[in-house]
């Protein structure tokens, strides 16, 4: 029968890469369609400037870019280059940008990319057109370079066609055929092309293709300005028509600019202008496409470019006497969080998308999607790219439009890891929101939820802190979006009792006669336990990678409440559930709410409001009960993510405010406070609890992540079990290690490289100041031989900070407090 029939919609750089990757894996029934003529179809690829800078805060995006470089370097079209490895130079003209370049150099080191921060003279030597006096320094990555995107497509298409793929231009897709919830073909004006799998790589046309199967594709087409100068005397005779460029590709992010050579002219791209959303209905879809006239090239608006032209002349004095020759406003795809969109329709099996992908990441995305289709998993983890990462509220057109435009505005900005959106806000609030505002909550935002980070009402407690709890002053970067109040909230949690808003935690109800079997098959834990049991378990992929960690509570024989990590878990369980109706899966997050009540006085407080028995003998650790607190029906789970005695208390949203008020009023007798995420994160790290997505992903197995205890091999078969055969704590070659930093004032924030014996050996995943232990702490991936007491160094903004591998957990290793 052969390989599945695959139709790829879009013959740009993503579609061509996917066809190449699939045919390289032996799939030979591949058809690539495009509404434009081949090979210059008129999409974003046809006019893309092609600058490939590999360094990114995201390990995944860096891996995509690195593979793009590796792949394109080896391509040519009739002897002409597809990738000119000129190197990449990002310059700083402000102290803040120079510091950020040191941070980016740290990312590069963390992800295995070689880069160096150079002084102004070294920058000018590499790129002599620069005004050395305006530059404070630059980040140089020798392996970056220039992709000739339109030529790459030709090379990839030829290779894929030689293996059996068919490329068909000037063919508009008018519908996606389906039957029984599965794709069956792609409708065109000339008929239906049968398909078992359809992948939309249509770029900014993606939302239209997704709509054909009722799938929301949260993408906004935006215009971005690019111009070419007339001949520059300083470039005359330097470059041949064949080579095009000789200087490194250049970014001047302080002014939202980038530059590349076009033989003896300069190309200038800018993001400094106003966002320009594009209505696809206004684009010309004719077949009359040329290098200077295509649907995705809109008329140049000189007034928008004028400020960028003046800034370009300041950085590159050779432009003072130059003139612009031509320009255009090119259409590109932007998303609410800046990431690509990869995934399968939740409703129509076999319909996939790979959208909002730039040339820089195109080969990496093509490989990842091919691996998903052929092997069932990508070797590079994809949670930040999965289209199903968004909550329902984030798919609204107004939300997509506003946040995508803001991402355009901020694309080159120096952004702090905790920096929240300014708008839209207050989209999702817990029933406690009004009370939290009264207490002076400082809110950050995640997945549309307002989440208190600390409470100004606790400011007076800072002066009451014992000397050993007094937090040190932080340097300006680490001090952003932080307050010493977090120390006071951690102190009160450890010594009295605190209320944490757990409402944004994703909660799923999985029920029905097949629920137990489903959970048993998809998790590492033993699920067939008594009603009231709570189980911490992992969901693995087929290679044994950690795709999520979960708390599963058995509320009755056939009803389970699952504490999950986000919408990806909801999508996963729905896909894996049987078709016979024996399992129902509901997202109950919005209809419920939760309070984490934790601290040594938590039992005193909750017992004072309930006739139910909260004693240790009758309500043990990792058990759940249906109780009443002040008359409010509550699902109480004896869990603690902060390492203290306490409960997670869940009730329906309509009862939430009453529950908060009851606990708050009675809690005054026990010095109760409301506490936020800053204290929460510090406390959970001191207790050694992992955060999925930061500390571990599908790239790590449970034993590497220190979670082997959650794997019950003896229970029988479960997904990923075979991949763990022979794997143990003793056999792994890398581990997630706990580090204590020697300097109390150095609070790293994550993604920094870690050095062992002077050599880069890993990277930081999570970090915080440990208020209980009185020192900054971090978790990092390191070689397994970096055991306890191993000295290491963390590179932070270009300087090395000493730290030591320490035994974990740092607080209450005997579990006496949490089990008391």
């Amino acid at each position: 029968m052969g390989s599945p029939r695959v139709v790829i919609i879009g013959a740009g750089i993503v579609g061509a890469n996917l066809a190449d990757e699939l045919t390289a894996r032996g799939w030979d029934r591949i058809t690539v369609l495009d509404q434009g003529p081949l090979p210059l179809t008129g999409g974003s690829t046809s006019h893309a400037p092609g600058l490939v800078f590999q360094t990114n805060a995201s390990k995944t995006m860096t891996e995509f870019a690195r593979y793009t470089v590796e792949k394109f370097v080896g391509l040519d079209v009739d002897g002409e280059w597809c990738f000119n490895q000129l190197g990449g130079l990002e310059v700083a003209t402000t102290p803040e940008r120079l510091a950020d370049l040191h941070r980016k150099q740290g990312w590069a080191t963390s992800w295995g990319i070689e880069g160096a921060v150079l002084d102004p003279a070294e920058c000018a030597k590499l790129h002599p057109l620069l005004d050395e006096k305006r530059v404070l320094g630059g980040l140089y990555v020798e392996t970056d370079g220039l992709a000739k995107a339109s030529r790459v497509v030709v090379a990839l298409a030829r290779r894929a066609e030689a293996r059996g793929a068919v490329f068909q231009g000037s063919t508009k897709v008018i519908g996606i055929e389906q039957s029984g919830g599965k794709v069956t073909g792609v409708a065109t004006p000339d008929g239906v092309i049968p398909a078992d799998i359809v992948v939309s790589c249509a770029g900014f046309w993606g939302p239209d293709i997704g709509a054909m199967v009722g799938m929301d594709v949260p993408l906004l087409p935006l215009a971005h300005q690019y111009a070419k100068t007339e001949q520059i005397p300083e470039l005359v005779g330097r470059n041949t028509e064949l080579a095009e460029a000789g200087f490194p590709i250049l970014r001047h992010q302080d002014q939202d600019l980038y530059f590349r050579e076009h033989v003896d002219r300069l190309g200038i791209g800018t993001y400094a202008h106003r966002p320009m959303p594009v209505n696809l209905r206004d684009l010309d879809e004719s077949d009359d496409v040329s290098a200077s006239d295509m649907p995705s090239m809109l008329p140049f608006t000189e007034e928008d470019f004028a400020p960028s032209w003046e800034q370009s002349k300041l950085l590159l004095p050779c432009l003072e006497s130059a003139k612009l020759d031509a320009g255009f406003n090119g259409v590109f795809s932007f998303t609410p969080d800046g990431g690509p969109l990869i995934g399968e329709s939740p409703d129509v099996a076999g319909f996939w998308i790979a959208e909002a992908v730039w040339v820089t990441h195109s080969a990496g995305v093509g490989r990842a999607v091919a691996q998903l289709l052929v092997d069932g998993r990508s070797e590079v983890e994809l949670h930040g790219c999965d289209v199903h990462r968004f909550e329902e509220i984030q798919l609204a057109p107004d939300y997509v439009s506003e946040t995508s435009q803001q991402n355009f505005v901020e694309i080159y900005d120096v952004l702090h890891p905790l920096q929240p959106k300014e708008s839209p806000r207050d989209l999702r609030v817990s029933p406690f929101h009004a009370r939290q505002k009264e207490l002076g909550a400082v809110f950050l935002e995640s997945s549309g939820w307002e989440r208190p980070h600390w409470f100004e009402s606790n400011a007076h407690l800072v002066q009451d802190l014992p000397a050993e709890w007094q937090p040190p002053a932080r340097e300006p970067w680490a001090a952003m979006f932080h307050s010493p109040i977090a120390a006071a909230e951690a102190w009160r949690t450890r010594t009295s009792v605190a209320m944490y808003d757990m409402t944004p935690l994703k909660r799923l109800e999985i029920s029905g006669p097949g629920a137990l079997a489903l959970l048993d098959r998809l998790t590492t834990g033993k699920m067939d336990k008594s009603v009231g049991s709570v189980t911490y378990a992992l969901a693995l992929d087929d290679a044994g990678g950690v795709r999520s960690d979960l708390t599963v509570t058995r509320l009755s024989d056939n009803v389970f409440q699952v504490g999950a990590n986000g919408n990806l878990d909801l999508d996963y369980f729905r896909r894996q559930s049987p078709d016979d109706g024996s399992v129902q899966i509901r997202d109950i997050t919005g209809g419920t709410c939760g309070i984490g009540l934790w601290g040594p006085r938590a039992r005193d407080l909750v017992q004072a409001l309930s006739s139910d028995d909260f004693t240790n003998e009758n309500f043990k650790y990792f058990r759940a009960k249906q109780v009443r607190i002040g008359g409010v029906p509550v699902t109480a789970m004896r869990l603690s993510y902060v390492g203290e005695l306490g409960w997670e208390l869940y009730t329906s949203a309509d009862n939430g405010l009453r529950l908060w008020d009851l606990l708050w009023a009675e809690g005054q007798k026990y010095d109760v406070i409301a506490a936020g995420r800053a204290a929460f994160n510090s406390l959970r790290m001191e207790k050694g609890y992992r955060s999925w997505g930061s500390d571990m992903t599908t790239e790590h197995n449970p034993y590497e992540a220190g979670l082997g205890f959650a794997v019950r091999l003896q229970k029988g078969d479960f997904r990923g079990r075979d991949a763990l055969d022979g794997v143990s704590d003793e056999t792994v070659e890398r581990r997630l290690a706990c580090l204590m930093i020697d300097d109390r004032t150095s609070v790293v924030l994550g993604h920094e490289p870690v050095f062992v014996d002077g050599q880069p050996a890993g990277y930081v995943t999570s970090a915080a100041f440990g208020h209980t232990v009185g020192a900054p702490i971090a978790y990092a991936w390191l070689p397994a031989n970096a055991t306890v007491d191993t000295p290491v160094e963390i590179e932070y903004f270009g300087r090395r900070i000493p730290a030591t591998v320490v035994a974990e957990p740092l607080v209450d290793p005997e579990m006496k407090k949490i089990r008391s």
Side-chain angles (χ1 to χ4, degrees):
M1 183 176 178
S3 64
R5 297 167 299 179
V6 180
V7 174
I8 298 170
I9 301 171
I13 202 158
V14 181
N17 264 296
L18 178 56
D20 177 64
E21 295 287 339
L22 286 173
T23 56
R25 287 162 174 77
W27 285 22
D28 55 2
R29 297 198 290 175
I30 312 293
T31 303
V32 184
L33 304 178
D34 203 292
Q35 63 184 357
L38 300 178
L40 201 66
T41 63
S44 298
T45 299
S46 304
H47 63 70
L51 286 74
V52 177
F53 288 89
Q54 297 168 85
T55 306
N56 194 290
S58 162
K59 181 175 182 290
T60 294
M61 299 302 281
T62 298
E63 294 283 2
F64 285 163
R66 180 188 0 231
Y67 182 67
T68 296
V69 169
E70 292 173 357
K71 183 174 180 176
F72 290 3
V73 161
L75 297 176
D76 72 274
V77 174
D78 301 328
E80 294 187 299
W81 62 274
C82 288
F83 190 81
N84 190 351
Q85 201 157 31
L86 301 161
L89 180 64
E90 304 178 53
V91 296
T93 57
T94 64
E96 294 78 13
R97 181 68 61 180
L98 183 61
D100 192 56
L101 293 184
H102 281 288
R103 182 171 66 130
K104 293 182 75 172
Q105 192 273 332
W107 296 341
T109 303
S110 290
W111 315 142
I113 301 289
E114 290 191 18
V117 176
L118 308 179
D119 64 29
E122 292 171 309
C123 293
K125 185 176 180 181
L126 283 169
H127 204 299
L129 301 185
L130 286 169
D131 182 352
E132 181 181 333
K133 297 187 294 296
R134 289 193 174 273
V135 175
L136 301 181
L139 173 63
Y140 178 60
V141 176
E142 189 176 12
T143 54
D144 288 346
L146 196 59
K148 189 76 169 178
S150 56
R151 196 177 290 158
V152 168
V153 167
V154 172
L156 295 173
R158 286 181 180 179
R159 197 157 72 179
E161 287 173 327
R163 301 181 188 127
V166 175
F167 281 69
Q168 185 174 318
S170 303
T171 303
K172 187 173 178 62
V173 172
I174 58 175
I176 306 296
E177 301 288 308
Q178 53 182 291
S179 176
K182 298 179 180 179
V183 295
T184 58
V186 174
T188 75
D190 299 321
V192 174
I193 301 174
D196 305 301
I197 297 171
V198 175
V199 187
S200 175
C201 303
F204 56 79
W205 299 100
D208 280 4
I209 302 298
M212 294 178 182
V213 296
M215 182 178 180
D216 289 315
V217 178
L219 175 160
L220 181 72
L222 285 166
H224 158 60
Q225 291 197 299
Y226 191 79
K228 291 182 184 178
T229 68
E230 293 183 344
Q231 192 178 73
I232 305 295
E234 288 83 350
L235 293 179
V236 173
R238 282 193 53 89
N239 304 312
T240 65
E241 288 285 344
L242 183 63
E244 286 192 32
F247 295 147
I249 54 175
L250 178 66
R251 281 205 291 210
H252 178 24
Q253 292 175 298
D254 286 319
Q255 294 298 331
D256 297 318
L257 288 162
Y258 62 82
F259 307 87
R260 58 154 291 186
E261 296 161 272
H262 292 275
V263 190
D264 55 6
R265 303 163 186 245
L266 275 181
I268 306 170
T270 179
Y271 294 97
H273 55 79
R274 62 190 168 88
M276 303 177 190
V278 175
N279 186 341
L280 299 183
R281 307 288 84 76
D282 297 336
L283 299 186
D284 178 12
E285 301 175 31
S286 72
D287 285 348
D288 186 16
V289 173
S290 68
S292 59
D293 184 16
M294 56 187 72
S296 58
M297 293 174 67
L298 304 180
F300 189 59
T301 50
E302 293 186 24
E303 65 277 11
D304 290 303
F305 193 78
S308 293
W309 179 234
E310 295 306 312
Q311 290 297 332
S312 298
K313 289 190 248 186
L314 293 176
L315 184 71
L316 307 173
C318 65
L319 298 179
E320 282 289 352
S321 57
K323 293 183 180 179
L324 292 177
D325 177 44
F328 62 92
N329 293 357
V331 185
F332 287 90
S333 302
F334 282 77
T335 62
D337 61 2
L341 306 173
I342 298 172
E344 186 181 17
S345 162
D347 303 311
V348 182
F351 180 86
W352 290 74
I353 68 168
E355 311 286 19
V357 181
W358 292 13
V359 171
T360 301
H361 309 109
S362 58
V365 168
R367 179 178 65 173
V369 175
Q371 289 174 341
L372 286 171
L373 296 177
V374 176
D375 306 323
R377 75 181 296 271
S378 163
E379 65 186 78
V380 176
E381 73 90 14
L382 300 177
H383 83 272
C385 307
D386 194 311
V387 65
H388 303 295
R389 67 189 181 271
F390 297 105
E391 296 287 326
E392 189 70 29
I393 192 72
Q394 297 174 297
L395 300 176
D398 287 348
Y399 181 93
V400 173
S401 177
E402 181 177 351
T403 53
S404 297
Q405 290 184 61
Q406 189 61 28
N407 275 322
F408 179 93
V409 170
E410 296 177 345
I411 191 166
Y412 280 171
D413 288 0
V414 178
L415 299 176
H416 192 276
L418 293 176
Q419 194 154 330
K421 292 182 179 71
E422 293 185 5
S423 177
R425 294 296 296 268
D426 291 337
L427 295 178
R428 308 175 81 187
V429 298
S430 79
F432 326 130
H433 186 69
R435 297 293 185 262
Q436 292 166 345
K437 289 179 71 174
E438 291 168 4
L439 294 170
V442 175
F443 293 98
L444 299 187
E445 179 270 348
S446 178
S447 300
W449 283 104
E450 296 296 322
R451 305 174 75 170
H453 214 53
W454 67 82
F455 290 84
E456 290 295 334
S457 59
N458 296 324
H460 69 282
L461 296 174
V462 176
Q463 62 189 15
D464 298 333
L465 284 170
E468 64 272 19
W469 280 85
Q470 286 291 338
R474 297 189 177 200
E475 49 83 21
W477 183 254
M480 291 179 68
F481 306 105
H482 174 75
S483 169
I485 294 172
E489 294 179 358
W491 171 58
R492 273 295 181 86
T493 306
R494 291 277 190 237
T495 59
S496 184
V497 61
M499 294 165 58
Y500 290 81
D501 188 352
M502 300 297 287
T503 303
L505 173 72
K506 177 69 77 173
R507 289 177 295 286
L508 310 178
E509 182 187 87
I510 299 181
S511 62
L516 173 61
L518 177 71
L519 287 164
D520 212 41
R521 174 169 61 87
L522 296 182
T523 72
T524 61
K526 177 177 170 56
M527 293 293 137
D528 193 7
K529 297 179 180 178
S530 61
V531 172
S533 64
V534 183
T535 305
Y536 176 79
L538 308 175
L540 307 180
D541 65 15
D542 289 330
V546 182
R547 64 173 301 134
S548 191
D549 66 335
L550 312 159
T551 54
V552 182
T553 304
R554 192 169 196 177
L555 299 178
S556 67
D557 285 347
N558 292 331
V559 179
F560 298 80
Q561 181 169 314
V562 178
N565 279 297
N567 222 48
L568 295 182
D569 292 327
L570 173 63
D571 178 68
Y572 177 63
F573 280 115
R574 282 179 170 168
R575 289 179 188 280
Q576 294 295 322
S577 62
D579 296 330
D580 59 8
S582 63
V583 179
Q584 293 78 49
I585 300 172
R586 292 197 306 134
D587 181 354
I588 61 172
T589 312
T592 57
C593 58
I595 297 171
L597 186 73
W598 294 311
R601 307 189 77 180
R603 179 178 285 119
D604 298 333
L605 171 51
V606 73
Q607 190 66 81
L609 292 169
S610 179
S611 58
D612 292 283
D613 190 346
F614 284 82
T615 63
N616 191 48
E617 294 73 23
N618 288 286
F619 204 147
K620 294 189 179 299
Y621 184 56
F622 259 68
R623 296 292 298 178
K625 288 185 179 182
Q626 303 291 346
V627 300
R628 291 190 181 274
I629 298 175
V632 175
V634 170
T635 300
M637 302 178 188
R638 193 169 165 196
L639 308 175
S640 176
Y641 206 49
V642 300
E644 293 293 331
L645 168 69
W647 287 264
E648 292 181 8
L649 306 174
Y650 294 104
T651 190
S652 55
D654 59 327
N655 283 312
L657 185 59
R658 183 177 172 211
L659 178 63
W660 178 281
D661 286 345
L662 287 164
L663 291 168
W664 184 258
E666 183 66 25
Q668 300 311 303
K669 301 174 185 177
Y670 306 99
D671 295 327
V672 74
I673 63 163
R677 297 292 299 184
F680 180 92
N681 194 50
S682 171
L683 296 169
R684 72 97 182 162
M685 288 186 62
E686 290 182 324
K687 191 58 184 168
Y689 293 149
R690 280 45 172 159
S691 175
W692 185 85
S694 298
D695 295 324
M696 71 281 189
T697 67
T698 54
E699 294 185 2
H700 312 106
N701 71 51
Y703 300 98
E704 293 172 328
L707 298 175
F709 68 87
V711 179
R712 296 288 183 266
L713 293 173
Q714 64 272 25
K715 81 166 188 172
D717 191 34
F718 56 87
R719 188 171 189 184
R721 187 187 192 282
D722 291 346
L724 299 181
D725 187 35
V727 181
S728 68
D729 292 330
E730 290 71 36
T731 64
V732 297
E733 296 181 356
R734 61 177 176 176
R735 286 196 183 94
L736 188 64
C738 183
L739 309 180
M740 188 170 288
I741 298 169
D742 297 354
D743 179 2
R744 291 184 79 240
T745 63
S746 297
V747 182
V748 302
L749 298 176
H751 296 177
E752 295 87 358
V754 182
F755 293 75
V756 178
D757 295 329
Q759 299 299 312
Y763 58 91
V764 172
T765 59
S766 296
F769 190 88
H771 298 291
T772 315
V773 298
I777 54 178
Y779 275 82
W781 282 103
L782 292 176
N785 60 9
T787 53
V788 172
D789 295 330
T790 300
V792 301
E793 291 178 306
I794 302 172
E795 186 176 295
Y796 184 58
F797 286 96
R799 62 189 177 93
R800 301 280 179 89
I801 300 170
T804 305
V805 178
V806 293
E808 57 167 332
L810 298 173
V811 172
D812 192 26
E814 298 86 11
M815 300 286 284
K816 291 180 179 178
K817 298 169 70 174
I818 205 168
R819 294 180 182 273
S820 61

